[in-house]
Amino acid sequence: MHSRYLLEKNLTRRVLLRGVAQASMLGLAGIGLNGCVGILLLANSEITGPGLGAIAGRKGRLYGVALQSSHLDDADFAAAVKSEATLLVPESELKWEALRPAPGTFDFSGYRRLAAFAQENGMQMRGHTLVWYYANPPWLEHALKDRRAAEKILATHIERVIGETSPFIRQWDVVNEAVHPSSTRGDVLRPSIWLDALGPSYIPLAYRLAHEANPDLELVYNEYGLEWDGIYGRRKRDGVLRLLEKMVAEGVPVHALGLQSHLRCHRPLDTDAFTAFLERVREMGLKVYVTEFDLDLSVLSGTAADKIRIAQNYAAAYLDAVQLSGDVRMLLTWGLSDRYSWLGSVRGDSTGALPLDADLRRGPLWETLRDRWAEV
Ligand code: XIL
């Protein structure tokens, strides 16, 4: 009898052997490989085969993951990253807080460990992020006390960080999350230590400094919540469009929009407004990337199966709106496994957030992404 579990395509003899061995260990009926096997409960997740990076790569796409260098201490997780990703982004270790413990200090140790791992495994790396309102060291705010000092501090940082990471890193999130719907400003810019010190000019200045440091870099503006409905989504989209249109009109070297894509699966998507927004961004000549994809199921109700189904439908609708099968040539998930998702701390639950579950098994999101790239 052929078990339907063994008719899954891509199943290799090695997997069959392992599966039968496991089945016999578990006391399940597992017989020889003479084409007649017993009931072998191979959870879909245990079926090995090309990783998401290889699957995306066949269609000229890049799949990447965010991680901390400390995650590499987990050998099973490091092996899973090698299997699945062809691109890495440091989750935290290229941010000011990690790089700049003191005014005259640069600590690249975390980045260097991740870069070595990436290079050893033939992976690329992208940079995140040169200017952000968050994750800054305590000394910075006071140091930005006047405009000239602030300009010099920003220039020194960008020149040194790009100098250290070039030519390996060829793409950077230069400014992250500069727009906030609650802003009382007409330009909807988010209050921050950088806006306080330099006014709105901190944004074009950062891109110009990055371009001067390495003219070959692809420079990205990175943002979240652009897909949401209601006044929040509308003001976020309007603010980002206004910012990007001004930068493009002034010849600021910005090349792409990074959609963080932290999908809060209970929040309605405004797909019409979002797709119209993306069309305006593309009309400016900017590329679109998915830079921090994950799924937040923490506010969904129903059984575990209900939540997974809702989340996968939400993800599919989002990926359609983004046109992942179209010109979006890079997608990163913000982590690879629920085991290390930031959602565990910020939402209290990371179940279903990422392509691999906490036991590093391929889950529903892995299949959703595989199927999307299969359509390209
Ligand atoms: C998050 C990290 O995942 C956390 O570990 C850290 O404590 C805070 O920052 N948008 C971003 C990322 O651009 O840099 C954030 O990463 C998640 C939201």
Side-chain angles (χ1 to χ4, degrees):
M1 178 193 79
H2 278 281
S3 154
R4 67 186 174 87
Y5 295 97
L6 298 183
L7 299 183
E8 172 75 25
K9 65 183 186 320
N10 297 338
L11 210 51
T12 64
R13 181 176 174 77
R14 176 172 49 82
V15 171
L16 275 174
L17 282 170
R18 180 163 65 84
V20 169
Q22 280 175 342
S24 53
M25 272 189 310
L26 295 172
L28 299 174
I31 308 167
L33 292 173
N34 56 2
C36 175
V37 291
I39 300 297
L40 180 56
L41 298 179
L42 249 191
N44 187 38
S45 55
E46 290 188 18
I47 293 172
T48 60
L52 290 175
I55 292 166
R58 286 175 186 157
K59 302 296 178 69
R61 265 61 173 180
L62 271 174
Y63 168 67
V65 302
L67 75 171
Q68 313 273 12
S69 62
S70 59
H71 296 156
L72 297 178
D73 296 332
D74 178 340
D76 292 339
F77 178 77
V81 173
K82 289 180 191 175
S83 300
E84 298 290 351
T86 51
L87 167 70
L88 300 184
V89 62
E91 183 174 356
S92 297
E93 287 157 299
L94 282 176
K95 294 172 182 171
W96 278 77
E97 192 174 47
L99 284 179
R100 307 296 304 277
T105 309
F106 287 82
D107 177 3
F108 290 107
S109 57
Y111 157 71
R112 286 173 179 155
R113 185 177 179 196
L114 288 172
F117 176 82
Q119 288 160 358
E120 284 158 17
N121 293 288
M123 298 170 182
Q124 299 180 53
M125 184 177 275
R126 74 184 303 269
H128 174 81
T129 177
L130 295 171
V131 180
W132 193 22
Y133 77 94
Y134 189 73
N136 292 303
W139 61 265
L140 184 59
E141 183 167 5
H142 177 69
L144 300 179
K145 56 187 177 301
D146 62 61
R147 189 178 191 87
R148 285 180 59 79
E151 288 174 348
K152 181 159 178 45
I153 287 168
L154 182 57
T156 301
H157 182 82
I158 290 178
E159 286 159 14
R160 177 69 190 280
V161 173
I162 289 179
E164 167 75 20
T165 58
S166 295
F168 183 49
I169 290 184
R170 293 174 291 156
Q171 181 196 81
W172 271 95
D173 291 335
V174 177
V175 172
N176 193 38
E177 303 179 2
V179 170
H180 198 284
S182 307
S183 171
T184 55
R185 295 173 54 95
D187 56 18
V188 202
L189 289 183
R190 177 196 294 265
S192 73
I193 59 174
W194 295 106
L195 189 68
D196 292 344
L198 294 169
S201 69
Y202 85 89
I203 298 172
L205 175 60
Y207 284 86
R208 290 196 165 100
L209 287 168
H211 183 70
E212 285 160 19
N214 180 352
D216 296 331
L217 289 177
E218 186 174 44
L219 305 179
V220 182
Y221 173 73
N222 200 46
E223 191 58 85
Y224 71 91
L226 292 159
E227 69 279 5
W228 290 340
D229 74 336
I231 185 69
Y232 185 101
R234 189 161 62 249
R235 276 182 63 80
K236 180 77 89 147
R237 288 187 293 271
D238 291 349
V240 169
L241 274 181
R242 177 195 184 106
L243 173 64
L244 294 176
E245 283 168 348
K246 189 171 187 296
M247 289 169 77
V248 169
E250 292 173 358
V252 175
V254 58
H255 310 116
L257 171 64
L259 302 172
Q260 290 187 12
S261 311
H262 293 294
L263 302 188
R264 305 211 66 196
C265 297
H266 61 284
R267 280 195 74 148
L269 282 172
D270 189 336
T271 45
D272 290 345
F274 184 45
T275 45
F277 162 81
L278 291 175
E279 197 170 320
R280 296 268 304 273
V281 170
R282 291 179 167 114
E283 282 166 359
M284 287 185 229
L286 299 179
K287 293 178 189 168
V288 172
Y289 298 121
V290 174
T291 54
E292 306 184 14
F293 192 98
D294 56 17
L295 300 175
D296 175 8
L297 285 63
S298 64
V299 185
L300 295 180
S301 54
T303 66
D306 292 338
K307 293 178 184 178
I308 290 287
R309 178 177 42 76
I310 293 165
Q312 295 318 308
N313 291 339
Y314 195 102
Y318 181 83
L319 293 172
D320 284 344
V322 166
Q323 297 176 39
L324 184 69
S325 307
D327 69 348
V328 175
R329 309 196 72 82
M330 177 185 79
L331 179 143
L332 296 97
T333 48
W334 203 245
L336 174 60
S337 160
D338 298 350
R339 181 181 296 183
Y340 296 120
S341 167
W342 74 306
L343 293 177
S345 53
V346 292
R347 300 279 185 249
D349 182 10
S350 63
T351 307
L354 289 164
L356 304 188
D357 70 12
D359 295 321
L360 305 180
R361 294 174 304 190
R362 291 171 171 175
L365 179 57
W366 189 95
E367 294 174 0
T368 296
L369 291 172
R370 173 199 60 194
D371 296 345
R372 273 287 177 266
W373 279 312
E375 291 166 8
V376 172

